[in-house]
Amino acid sequence: MSELLRDAAARASAYLEGLATRKVAPDRATVDRLDALDMALPERGVADATVIATLDALSPATMAMAGPRFFGFVIGGALPVTLAANWIAGAWDQNSAFYNATPATSRIEQIALRWLVELLGLPAETGGAFVTGATVANFAALAAARHVVLGRAGWNVEADGLFGAPPIQVIVGEEVHPSLVKSLGLLGLGRNRVVRVPVDGQGRMRADALPRIATPSIICMQAGNVNTGAIDPIDEICKRAEGSGAWVHVDGAFGLWAAASPELAPLMRGVARADSWATDAHKWLNVPYDCGLAFSRDAEALRAAMAVTAEYLPSVSPFRNPADYTPELSRRARGVEVWAALRALGRDGVAELIDRNCRQARRFAEGLRAGGYRILNEIALNQVLVAFGDAATTQRVIAAIQDEGTCWCGGTVWQGETAMRISVSSWATTDEDVEKSIAAMLRAAKSAGATPSR
Ligand SMILES: Cc1ncc(COP(=O)(O)O)c(C=O)c1O
């Protein structure tokens, strides 16, 4: 056992050490080697060491997402301490559902949740849950919302479902993330029956365009537009919702982390007035996949929406049962890596990470603008949108950047215009990586025939 684990750790370390110097995207020939795995179900096994060596031979076929110059999507690399914690927790192999069965990981999760509530400036009474990602965090938080707004209308949604229930008005911004809309669909609230509020040029919901708030109602705001990073006017919308009985939810998949930075916190003004929040630790806290977080000011509402009981389950406990707050019953102990990140970074370290990535995003914008290319967004957080010319030219430049391999960025269409999207979200990105990447982008733009405007 220990030889196998030492071998795996050595291979993993070598992989990580190679990330800074390899091309970010895997090359085609390496990816094609994956075909060799696609054999018939083996009748007989092979030695464990052979299995691990076979997997490691495919390491070059991975995208270097954990490396310093991956800027596609909002994907942070795992902080070394969180990967190490993940290995320890993997060895523990706890099914972290009930305190009585898994006291260590249940307590660690509870402590990490308390720290997070404090770090993010949420109300002290807030309860939470570790789930797979923001999609499920939105699902869990909105299940709590559904429980409360229908409960106030005299309807028990967990017991009786939605057939015959009073209709809930669901308000979202025009720029709502599609995964939140999916979560609404899973909750029976419908993907198409939402009321979409117009947004401004950065994708922020326009508080002045909010419709009349009906009863019952759920309002979903966004902190961190996936293209521009813009944050909805949380304080203003919360004020408008006050007294209406509406439940106010904030999807802050990555943007909620701005609340951990004293410099950026003013953007999050009013966040503690909301009723629920969703975020991802696997994005900006840089823990390994997968780890999302659902928070509900009314902890009991989240528990009422999620808890199950059965004679064989050890539900009665002196401490919180993680599974009482999550859609999953069996679950890995995601809180361990979050605890490790917060313990290693401290409040200052988290703020420094967020601020550094935002400063690096501003530097990207400055460098590309100086190179003659158009930046389409205000750099509110860690997102940069750049156009290298018309749609076809921008697409060619993106392909050239991906192919050259110094860094990796994806494309998007922002309010009708094709753009390249740069997300700076990793602890591993140094200022030198940013300069190297800007230079590579400008070289690729030139080679792809983009004309800078001066
Ligand atoms: C605003 C927002 N909400 C939700 C999600 C979904 O997050 P996840 O992929 O972790 O489920 C994302 C992903 O980028 C996002 O940006």
Side-chain angles (χ1 to χ4, degrees):
M1 174 87 136
S2 53
E3 198 179 319
L4 182 74
L5 295 184
R6 264 196 295 275
D7 176 49
R11 289 175 184 280
S13 299
Y15 172 78
L16 293 173
E17 276 156 27
L19 288 178
T21 47
R22 61 163 269 191
K23 276 177 131 185
V24 177
D27 63 43
R28 176 83 357 237
T30 333
V31 172
D32 287 347
R33 287 219 299 274
L34 291 167
D35 287 347
L37 281 189
D38 197 2
M39 56 190 201
L41 170 69
E43 290 298 332
R44 286 175 201 289
V46 292
D48 293 352
T50 307
V51 174
I52 295 305
T54 306
L55 272 183
D56 189 32
L58 297 167
S59 288
T62 60
M63 179 70 85
M65 285 180 171
R69 293 186 302 279
F70 181 82
F71 304 114
F73 320 110
V74 192
I75 286 184
L79 285 156
V81 70
T82 66
L83 179 59
N86 171 279
W87 290 352
I88 296 280
W92 289 346
D93 195 20
Q94 301 288 282
N95 182 348
S96 197
F98 294 99
Y99 172 83
N100 285 339
T102 54
T105 50
S106 301
R107 281 302 297 282
I108 291 171
E109 289 201 3
Q110 188 166 0
I111 295 161
L113 277 174
R114 180 166 53 77
W115 288 354
L116 287 164
V117 164
E118 198 178 322
L119 181 75
L120 298 170
L122 306 182
E125 69 270 27
T126 299
F130 288 92
V131 294
T132 51
T135 304
V136 178
N138 282 321
F139 171 83
L142 292 167
R146 188 182 65 164
H147 170 84
V148 167
V149 299
L150 286 181
R152 285 190 198 132
W155 189 268
N156 182 339
V157 67
E158 285 75 30
D160 301 324
L162 281 175
F163 296 106
I168 303 174
Q169 176 196 44
V170 180
I171 299 172
V172 301
E174 193 60 68
E175 272 287 328
V176 61
H177 195 273
S179 65
L180 185 137
V181 178
K182 170 180 161 177
S183 301
L184 290 169
L186 293 172
L187 287 162
L189 298 176
R191 295 189 185 202
N192 293 342
R193 57 181 291 288
V194 294
V195 180
R196 288 177 175 261
V197 179
V199 295
D200 66 12
Q202 298 300 310
R204 287 177 291 243
M205 204 194 280
R206 278 180 36 211
D208 64 327
L210 216 59
R212 204 186 63 76
I213 300 171
T215 306
S217 182
I218 299 173
I219 304 173
C220 302
M221 282 187 280
Q222 185 165 258
N225 177 287
V226 78
N227 283 308
T228 63
I231 295 167
D232 283 346
I234 298 174
D235 200 44
E236 213 177 326
I237 290 176
C238 284
K239 277 185 189 150
R240 281 173 192 256
E242 225 160 56
S244 69
W247 179 286
V248 180
H249 172 72
V250 180
D251 173 8
F254 64 97
L256 198 64
W257 296 99
S261 150
E263 199 177 306
L264 297 168
L267 291 172
M268 303 296 289
R269 200 154 54 87
V271 73
R273 303 169 87 115
D275 296 290
S276 60
W277 307 262
T279 192
D280 267 321
H282 61 217
K283 289 191 167 71
W284 227 344
L285 192 61
N286 282 237
V287 305
Y289 280 87
D290 46 23
C291 187
L293 292 152
F295 297 103
S296 169
R297 174 200 297 272
D298 180 349
E300 187 47 35
L302 187 57
R303 207 192 62 77
M306 293 294 151
V308 289
T309 54
E311 288 307 321
Y312 82 100
L313 294 175
S315 310
V316 179
S317 124
F319 288 100
R320 171 188 181 279
N321 290 315
D324 284 349
Y325 299 85
T326 55
E328 308 89 357
L329 184 54
S330 294
R331 54 188 298 283
R332 75 180 190 91
R334 295 188 178 83
V336 174
E337 296 124 21
V338 170
W339 179 89
L342 297 177
R343 186 69 190 90
L345 293 174
R347 194 197 282 271
D348 283 359
V350 177
E352 193 279 327
L353 168 63
I354 306 297
D355 289 344
R356 176 168 20 115
N357 285 165
C358 292
R359 176 173 53 71
Q360 290 170 332
R362 292 195 293 275
R363 173 62 198 134
F364 264 117
E366 182 187 83
L368 293 168
R369 201 181 276 124
Y373 299 107
R374 220 150 40 82
I375 302 301
L376 306 187
N377 64 318
E378 293 163 11
I379 315 302
L381 293 179
N382 58 343
Q383 303 294 114
V384 183
L385 298 176
V386 53
F388 292 97
D390 61 14
T393 307
T394 298
Q395 297 284 17
R396 270 202 319 279
V397 176
I398 295 170
I401 289 168
Q402 292 179 354
D403 191 49
E404 191 267 345
T406 299
C407 60
W408 198 98
C409 299
T412 190
V413 176
W414 174 246
Q415 295 188 339
E417 191 159 1
T418 298
M420 184 175 84
R421 185 165 159 263
I422 307 170
S423 303
V424 195
S425 337
S426 178
W427 69 276
T429 303
T430 63
D431 292 350
E432 198 189 333
D433 288 313
V434 173
E435 296 308 322
K436 228 171 162 171
S437 301
I438 294 171
M441 288 170 184
L442 294 177
R443 274 196 315 273
K446 192 169 173 197
S447 75
T451 320
S453 58
R454 299 283 172 195

